[in-house]
Amino acid sequence: RVEMSDRQSFMDRYVDWHVEIIERQPIDILANLSWLPEPLAGEYDALWTEARVLRVARAAVRKGVALEISSGFNLPKRGFLEIARSAGARFSFGSNGRYPNMGKLEHSLAMARALGLKETEIYVPPREG
């Protein structure tokens, strides 16, 4: 059980966890980004402050990790994506692999269009390695 009664403290730990994964794990994409547990989900915009988003996005940029735009969860929200983009983040698209929405990327593509993402801002896996 995770302690969430102090929402700000939880979010600080949660951001630390995101940054630690980006910095220590051999990953190309950080998936399910910005998801919040149900008790906190209604406060998404207040809890994912610009400073918190920038910490995660800047770590991703430093390590060359793309941030997933999830069609499965419809996350991150547009404001989060705009802040991450301003920090130079690259993005990938995902559906979270759950039936019946497996492979459906409508939300991801809609966000990419709404943001006006350029080809250079979209993660493309290397051909080899």
Side-chain angles (χ1 to χ4, degrees), residues 4-75:
M4 290 184 279
S5 62
D6 181 340
R7 286 156 157 58
Q8 299 304 321
S9 177
F10 170 82
M11 285 302 296
D12 291 341
R13 292 190 322 270
Y14 196 44
V15 168
D16 289 345
W17 178 76
H18 279 83
V19 171
E20 184 175 340
I21 287 172
I22 291 167
E23 291 180 344
R24 295 187 181 189
Q25 297 298 318
I27 61 172
D28 295 315
I29 299 168
L30 182 62
N32 299 327
L33 177 65
S34 84
W35 176 89
L36 291 175
E38 184 61 34
L40 305 180
E43 298 175 58
Y44 183 99
D45 293 325
L47 293 172
W48 275 112
T49 63
E50 181 174 358
R52 288 179 175 135
V53 174
L54 284 172
R55 254 194 90 215
V56 173
R58 288 175 178 154
V61 170
R62 274 193 314 274
K63 290 297 193 170
V65 173
L67 304 178
E68 178 193 51
I69 302 173
S70 171
S71 286
F73 289 118
N74 293 339
L75 292 173

Side-chain angles (χ1 to χ4, degrees), residues 107-118:
H107 174 76
S108 302
L109 296 171
M111 280 288 101
R113 283 187 205 99
L115 294 167
L117 291 183
K118 297 177 180 139

